[in-house]
Amino acid sequence: MNNYFIIGKVNEGKSHLFNLFSKTHKTISNPKANTTIDVIRKNILSENFEYNIYDTPGFYKFSDFTDLLNKISTLKLENIEFIYLISSFTNEDLKICKKLHSKNYNILLFSFNRIDEKDYISNLFNENFTNYADNFSLLKKYLSNKNKKQNLNVKNVNKKTIAIFGKENTGKSTLFNKIMNLSFSKTSPHLHTTRDSVNWDIQYKNQTLEFIDTAGFIRSRSKRKNHDFEKLSLEQSEYFIKKSSLIILLLDANSESRLDLSLIGSLSRRNKPFLVLVNKIDLIDNKTLYQHKFLNYLSSNHNYYSSLNIYFISALKSSKSKILQIVNNQLHNKFFFKTSYLNKIIKSINGELGKIQKNSKEFKIYFITAFTVNQKNYFKISCNFKKNNIKPHIKSYLSKILIRELNLKGVNFNLIF
């Protein structure tokens, strides 16, 4: 498949051109300089043609362009071509285009305005879209014709989309880059480093996984300095969350707050599988105590609508294979239930438990919540007994009922009260 990178100096209109191609995944187009800071990809697909188009950060000078070209090279893509966007052709543009030409890249010269061919060296370019009333329509038609599908009977790829979501500075871009093995999404301790949602595919166990690094949700309104960027960033995040097969909610082990609970609650109401990854666990001294307190905090404050799947990780130190295994397990997880459904079956469970309790106080369940913590499954049972007073035969019988009601034969789980 051909890959077309839109490049050019700062504020030439690269994001605007990208958005004309992409009707769904639109990047933030703004007159402010350096609005785009990451490489953004969109697959352009129809019944007759397919290609990828990329929005890129603008550059001021030749050295900035060299850095961008090196970054594109690390992506190890085949069939790379460049759409060089200009408003007027300068000596700096000439220098950059000569560099690309010397490396045998195909270059398409494009401008939103009319530019006479005598103002640039046309031999540097494979095609010129600079001298017509509607340059964009001609470029779009050219790409459609050049990228016609050769085989219309290709089977659909088994593709899953995973959106990484969370508050600002929780390590979303660090996690994304670890999974990609690339410095693809810019990382920084400053707020709102990621503005546009960055997406990329990897192959894992005969399936294609598309990961999306979304903009951070800034919890404090007083910290929201760039309201136009932030509004558009959150709209992008919302689009990808709706589209995703799995949501990863990334939390920071060093800064938990009530907002974590509200984010978990809002995601669980979407009736879509999601993971809670608690990041930066490597910075916690007593990890066992921390995890115990964290789970108690969640279980005593939650009002969830679906089961929780929680893992404690370090985006910096955890291996790529471990993270992908966690994601894959959740994509094929059998231990996923809506809490509302679990609580619907409580009445019948209490009825069955009453049959085996003779000459003793009735054991009664109030709520059931499902947890997965570090790949171990739990049912949290809220009941009228203290856990030390619950007899073993009650626990055993309750486990058998849950296995039968929830079709959990062969699935290991523990009961916690």
Side-chain angles (χ1 to χ4, degrees), residues 57-70:
F59 41 80
Y60 287 100
K61 54 187 184 296
F62 186 78
S63 59
D64 297 335
F65 160 74
T66 303
D67 292 340
L68 174 61
L69 189 59
N70 289 337

Side-chain angles (χ1 to χ4, degrees), residues 167 249 251-252 255-265:
K167 295 179 299 190
L249 175 60
L251 305 182
D252 184 344
S255 64
E256 298 313 318
S257 70
R258 290 184 180 181
L259 181 59
D260 295 332
L261 291 175
S262 64
L263 287 175
I264 290 170

